[in-house]
Amino acid sequence: MSSLTSARGSLATVLITASLDAAGMGLVMPILPALLHEAGATADAVPLNVGVLIALYAVMQFIFAPVLGTLSDRFGRRRVLLVSLAGATVDYLVLATASALSVFYIARAVAGITGATNAVTATVIADITPPHQRAKRFGLLSACYGGGMIAGPAMGGLFGAISPHLPFLLAALLSASNLALTFILLRETRPDSPARSASLAQHRGRPGLSAVPGITFLLVAFGLVQFIGQAPGATWVLFTEHRLDWSPVEVGISLSVFGIVQVLVQALLTGRIVEWIGEAKTVIIGCVTDALGLVGLAIVTDAFSMAPILAALGIGGIGLPALQTLLSQRVDEQHQGRLQGVLASINSVTSIFGPVAFTTIFALTYINADGFLWLCAAALYVPCVILIMRGTAASPKFGSWASGDSM
């Protein structure tokens, strides 16, 4: 197999894996209450169990994403991904047949571990992609996650109407197919050489990621962007029902439109914009555009006005893949897995605390100022932009954000 064919096969494999991972995460949402009822949970206990199970998944991803990333640096991307996919397949089968509440907790914890493969898929992208093309492919990766998050709940709701266990059987089949595809197409992408052992020995004695110039600023900025991104997902239904009196159908349509716009922007525009103005400026534009969309939500009064706001929020999605590219460019090949694991872990922890923070703000202010939460979210982009500027300026290799991002 030629190196070009191998790279294409590896890219296709990790994009499919990303889509299925995201779909698996959202798959359980529409059917979880029915499953809990079957498992014997009382009506009063269902909401609490739903919250704990969702949090458990995120906590396990937070813990194990850096672990999988580091293991992929040491043992190879292919091995870690194959083991994770095999575990996911078994886990889906267990969920498809489980009837005890304790089993759901164990299976959901395992799902969080096996679902932490986003660290490994991002590392494969970094391995097989030249630095100047990474923004485009990280955009594709983000688009696949977004597409999976749209498809997962839809699949869960559609097949869950027949049986709450059926979506897991379908997910197990898709995961097994992905396992076979990965086994056939994915070649090991970890940088290797005859001096690999000596290189690893040298790296064990080196300081961690925090020693890379400017990377702490960029990691904090990455966390802020991910945290801000939790605001729409956590409060969109509450806000639109209160401010615009939307029905569940209208809310669902608006969420689907937003998801599709963001997927298309990340897949088609991110790479082109980065080629034009560079990674750092793309991140800044993404932050500013998303902030404008959030401010627009604070003052929106009708459905017609929502169209440009959804467009702004969707275009704001270019910032995250570009920021991920900036970070990957600053870390050597032997630490890419560790970096991507840290990024995945940051994503998980923001998905735990972000919804709690923004729903709390909304609960405290919605009577007299229901748009206040969007202004709070938009304001967080101010320190975010400052951190990005500081982080890019701190690296002599890449220069300041104002001078472009020449490679």
Side-chain angles (χ1 to χ4, degrees), residues 216-235:
T216 302
F217 294 118
L218 295 179
L219 286 173
V220 175
F222 183 87
L224 278 175
V225 173
Q226 292 281 23
F227 183 81
I228 295 166
Q230 300 299 320
T235 61

Side-chain angles (χ1 to χ4, degrees), residues 39-52:
T42 64
D44 292 338
V46 166
L48 176 62
N49 280 282
V50 168
V52 173

Side-chain angles (χ1 to χ4, degrees), residues 14-349:
V14 296
L15 292 179
I16 292 172
T17 299
S19 301
L20 292 181
D21 278 352
M25 183 167 59
L27 173 77
V28 72
M29 299 305 296
I31 57 176
L32 190 53
L35 288 170
L36 291 171
H37 280 300
E38 282 193 5
T42 64
D44 292 338
V46 166
L48 176 62
N49 280 282
V50 168
V52 173
L53 285 169
I54 293 172
L56 178 62
Y57 184 95
V59 168
M60 298 307 286
Q61 285 210 323
F62 167 70
I63 295 172
F64 282 94
V67 174
L68 293 187
T70 302
L71 288 175
S72 76
D73 282 337
R74 183 169 184 178
F75 298 108
R77 327 302 189 201
R78 187 173 184 270
R79 291 179 183 177
V80 173
L81 201 54
L82 287 172
V83 171
S84 296
L85 290 173
T89 303
V90 173
D91 186 68
Y92 283 131
L93 289 173
V94 170
L95 284 169
T97 57
S99 58
L101 188 60
S102 59
V103 176
F104 281 115
Y105 274 90
I106 295 171
R108 200 61 184 160
V110 173
I113 297 172
T114 58
T117 52
N118 49 359
V120 185
T121 55
T123 306
V124 172
I125 295 288
D127 289 341
I128 64 175
T129 308
H132 66 281
Q133 293 182 359
R134 284 179 187 169
K136 178 181 179 180
R137 289 188 173 177
F138 280 138
L140 285 173
L141 191 65
S142 296
C144 286
Y145 282 125
M149 289 302 295
I150 295 172
M155 185 170 66
L158 178 64
F159 292 96
I162 301 173
S163 166
H165 296 278
L166 184 58
F168 292 110
L169 287 174
L170 178 60
L173 177 62
L174 292 173
S175 184
S177 301
N178 190 26
L179 175 63
L181 185 70
T182 301
F183 183 81
I184 294 170
L185 292 181
L186 183 63
R187 295 294 179 263
E188 182 53 60
T189 64
R190 180 189 62 175
D192 216 339
S193 70
R196 175 70 182 171
S197 298
S199 174
L200 284 175
Q202 292 174 357
H203 281 288
R204 290 191 189 101
R206 294 184 184 180
L209 296 178
S210 60
V212 178
I215 199 167
T216 302
F217 294 118
L218 295 179
L219 286 173
V220 175
F222 183 87
L224 278 175
V225 173
Q226 292 281 23
F227 183 81
I228 295 166
Q230 300 299 320
T235 61
W236 188 269
V237 176
L238 299 171
F239 173 77
T240 53
E241 286 182 349
H242 182 265
R243 170 73 69 86
L244 304 175
D245 196 28
W246 278 3
S247 67
V249 173
E250 291 170 314
V251 172
I253 291 173
S254 67
L255 285 172
S256 297
V257 170
F258 169 67
I260 292 170
V261 170
Q262 191 168 59
V263 165
L264 291 175
V265 166
Q266 290 178 331
L268 302 177
L269 292 185
T270 302
R272 295 178 182 179
I273 294 174
V274 167
E275 289 178 0
W276 180 33
I277 61 174
E279 288 86 358
K281 291 178 182 177
T282 301
V283 179
I284 300 295
I285 289 176
C287 291
V288 172
T289 306
D290 201 54
L292 290 174
L294 293 171
V295 172
L297 285 174
I299 60 176
V300 68
T301 56
D302 54 60
F304 181 77
S305 303
M306 189 64 81
I309 293 173
L310 288 174
L313 294 174
I315 294 172
I318 63 176
L320 200 61
L323 182 52
Q324 191 172 7
T325 302
L326 273 178
L327 284 157
S328 74
Q329 290 170 348
R330 282 157 170 74
V331 177
D332 59 35
E333 295 174 336
Q334 285 75 19
H335 287 106
Q336 282 294 330
R338 184 180 176 190
L339 168 67
Q340 300 302 334
V342 169
L343 298 183
S345 184
I346 291 172
N347 182 31
S348 296
V349 77

